[in-house]
Amino acid sequence: MQPISFLLLLTGFGLTACDAPSKIQDPISAPPVAEQVPTWIGAGDQRRLDEYYWIRDDERSDPKVLALLAAENAYGQQLMAHTERLQTTLFQEITNRLPKKDATVPIALGGYQYYRVFEPGLEHPIYKRFLNDNPDTSEVVLDVNQLAQSFDYFAVGNWVVNPAQDLIAYAEDTLSRRIYTLRIKAVGSDISQPDVITGAAPSMAWSQDGQSLFYIKKHPQTLLEHEVYRHQLGTDQSQDQLVYRETDPTFSLWLEESRSKAFIFIRASSTESTEILIIPRKTPLAAPYPLLARTDQHEYRARHLKDHFYLLTNDAAPNYRLMRVEAKHAGDQSAWEPVITPDPGTFIEDFEVFDTFIVTKEIEAGIARLRIYDQSGQPTRDIPIQDIPATLNLSANPDATSTVIRYELSSLKTPDSTLAFNTETGDTQLLKQAQVDGSFNPDHYTTEYHTFGASDGAEVPISLVYNHTLKRQPRPAYLYAYGSYGYSTEPYFRSSSLSLLDRGFVFAIIHVRGGQELGRQWYEQGRLQQKKNTFTDFIEGSRYLAATGLADPNNLFAAGGSAGGLLMGVIANEAPEVYQGIIAKVPFVDVVTTMLDDSIPLTTSEYREWGDPRIAADYDYMLSYSPYDQVKAQNYPNMLVTTGLHDSQVQYFEPAKWVARLRRLKTDANHLILDTDMASGHSGPSGRYERYRKTALEYAFILDHLKTAP
C-alpha cells in the first residue's frame, strides 16, 4: 500500500505541503515474528490449540513478553515514521481547538457552588468551589495536577465532600488498572488525613455525621466490586467493618446517595437483574436491607424523595415504566403504583423527580426527547430541542425544590452545551457551550439521519456529518460503532473529528443492534445467541453508505474500541474487502479463551452478555465469531490495533495474540500495526492533551492509507 499521494493531499483534503507524509527513506525492517509455543487450553470437546497463549503475563514483567511488545512498537513507529510531521500537525490542530482555559457550569451543593477548571497548558483538572452568589470566595477543592506530579499516569475516578463540606474523599488510580486508593484531605488546604484505603472501587458515600465513609473493595484477582466496607474516620483500614459481601460472581456493586440524602444505596447489578440495598445515613451502623429483593430478569433504579421511592422498572414493561411506592412498603411490589407507562415503542432511559414534577429522557424511533410530567404522571410538555438528531442527557439537578431543569445537549455539529429549562415560563437558557477555538463554524456542517434495511428486515439507523463546503464526492468515510451492553452510541460532538471532516471525510455512526438506540429490543437482538446481528448490521451499513454515494467505496475506514474492537475483529475476518483500513482500539478479540477463564477480571459478570462457554451451545456460537479463533489465510485491510499494558477491561494479551496470528496467516502486504501504551490501560493516557496523541496517530494512519483513484 502506497502512502497518500502528495497531489491528493494538496488538492483534495486541504492539507499543505508541510503536512504531507514524507516518503519513506530507509527500508522497512521485517515485522516481529512471535514465537509459536503450542499450548492446549480447555478440556474435553472444548480443547483448542493456542500457539500464542504464552504472551499472557498477569504480572506484566516477563522480559520475553515485554520485548515482543517493544518490537511491535518499534516496527509500528518505523512504518509511520514518514507521517511524524503529519501527526504533529494533527495533534496541534486537535489540541488547539481546546480552549486554553475552561470551566464547567457551577453546581449548587449546600452553601457552595462546585465547578471544574482547566488552566492553560495543564493536563489535569482543578476542582473548585465558591460560596453561593459570591464567586470571589473561590477556593481549591482538589488540584489533580499537583497530585499527578510524580506519576506517568494519574486519574481521579471520583470525589465526595462530607456533609460538613470541610473534608473531601477522593479515589486515585496511578497505574490505569482501575484499582483505586482512597484518600481524605481537608478542603482548601493540602493537609491530608492519615486515612489510606487501598484496593477500592471509585464509588463512596459519607454517613450523615461525616464520621464514616462507605466504600467498595475489589476482588484482588477478578477485580469485581464485591464487598462494601465502613471506614471510621481516623482509623487504619485493617479496622474497617465489612457491611455487605456479594456472593454471586455475576453481580457487581456500586454505592450512591439517595436523592433525598436520607439513604445510602448499595446497588448490586448483573446484565439482567438488579437489587438495591439500603443503609439509613443517620444510622451508619445499621445492617443494609433490600429495597426489593432481586429476581431473575428484573432491573430497576430508584430515587427517594420525601416519603416515597420512585422506581424505573422493566417489570411487565420491556422499555421500562415508572412506579411509586411509600417508603415503608417498598419491599412489597404489589404496593407499587404506576406513574408513567409510555407506549410500548417508547423507551424510558432516565428520569429525575422534583417536588412538583417528573422529567424523563425518552427515546422513540431512535430520537431522544426530554418530557415533563406532573406528579400524577400526566405529560405536560416536552423541552423544545432544535437540533435533531441530538444527544440529550439530564444534568446534575441536586435541588428537588427547583422549577428549573438543567440538561446537556450535543450533536455531531453542535458542541457540548449545558442548558436550563424553566418549567414555569417555558424559557430555555444556554448556560455554557463548549468553546471550539480556531475557525470552527457549525454552519459549514450538515448532519443527516438515515435508515437502511438489514438482511433480516430490521431498519438500522445511521447518523452522519460532513463539511458541505468541501465538494469532494464521494467522501472518504470514518465509520464508527459499539453495539454492546445496551450502550447507545449517540450522535455527540467530537471536536477532534473536525480534522477529518475538514479534509473531506464523512463521519458516520452505524447504530448497530446491541445498543439501545431503538429501545430494549434493540439490545436484546444484539447479544447472546443474536450477537451476530451487531456484525452484519455494521457490514451492511457500510455497504449501504458506499452504494448510495454517501461514502467512497474505496475509502471506508472502520473504527471501534473494546467491545467495538470485537466488532472490528469480526468485520476484518468476514468482510475484509469492504474496508481500506480498520482501527481496533483495546479490542476484545479472544472471546472464548477469556470467557472460559473466570480468573480474568470481569469475566463472570458478563455471562449474560456474551454467553457462558461452559454451555455447549454458547461455546459453539461464540467460537463461530471470536476474531482470534476465526483468523484465516486471506487478505486483510490495513489495520491499526491499540492496547494498554495495564488494561484491566481487555487484557493487553488479547490484541497482542491476535496481531501475532494475523501476521502469520494474512496473505496481503497491507500494514498491520500493534501500538501498546506501556504506561496506561483501557482508557489511554489521563492527560487532557496527551490523550490526543493516539488520535493523531489514528488519523495519520487513515490519511496515509487513502486509496487514490486510478
Side-chain angles (χ1 to χ4, degrees), residues 478-497:
Y478 183 103
L479 311 178
Y480 181 81
Y482 185 74
S484 293
Y485 302 106
Y487 176 81
S488 297
T489 308
E490 297 181 291
Y492 64 89
F493 186 77
R494 302 163 173 84
S495 66
S496 60
S497 69

Side-chain angles (χ1 to χ4, degrees), residues 85-106:
R85 187 162 52 181
L86 175 58
Q87 290 183 55
T88 299
T89 297
L90 290 164
F91 177 75
Q92 290 173 346
E93 279 180 15
I94 294 168
T95 55
N96 284 343
R97 293 190 195 101
L98 303 175
K100 301 300 180 285
K101 183 169 184 174
D102 195 22
T104 58
V105 179

